[in-house]
Amino acid sequence: MLFNRYVEDYTSDFTDLTIYSSVLDEDRKLFIRLPNNYDEKKRYPLIIKSDGNFNLSRWDEVISELSQQGNVNDSILIAIPNLFFE
């Protein structure tokens, strides 16, 4: 069932952070994927992904692989899940 899959994917192996949105008047969860060997003194490209709770591990694999090949810069990924089930 899609609902069960959605709830199961509402956690991640990345940093999970909840922030309050005054515009939406609700708490929103964010999943934050930092680059391998993250250095807070460096700048990184930022990818913001809506429907963020699906395919996070695949996104991580692709970004990491492309970065290792030198095809893209390793990036910070911010994934914002939908709240359609609430």
Side-chain angles (χ1 to χ4, degrees):
M1 172 185 249
L2 180 60
F3 176 78
N4 289 338
R5 180 172 171 233
Y6 188 89
V7 172
E8 290 168 8
D9 289 338
Y10 201 61
T11 60
S12 77
D13 295 330
F14 307 119
T15 301
D16 291 5
L17 177 69
T18 301
I19 62 170
Y20 177 75
S21 168
S22 59
V23 172
L24 299 173
D25 191 30
E26 64 187 18
D27 287 333
R28 294 304 302 250
K29 192 169 222 180
L30 304 175
F31 303 134
I32 304 169
R33 177 235 183 239
L34 297 176
N36 295 327
N37 303 316
Y38 173 74
D39 179 352
E40 65 182 35
K41 295 178 183 173
K42 286 180 64 178
R43 292 182 180 214
Y44 296 92
L46 175 64
I47 300 168
I48 299 174
K49 180 182 179 309
S50 59
D51 251 357
N53 53 320
F54 293 110
N55 302 316
L56 286 175
S57 59
R58 184 68 181 135
W59 276 76
D60 179 45
E61 291 170 15
V62 170
I63 293 169
S64 295
E65 186 174 323
L66 291 174
S67 173
Q68 289 172 1
Q69 294 171 359
N71 294 324
V72 299
N73 294 325
D74 208 347
S75 305
I76 295 173
L77 172 65
I78 305 286
I80 307 166
N82 259 333
L83 297 178
F84 71 86
F85 63 89
E86 293 188 336

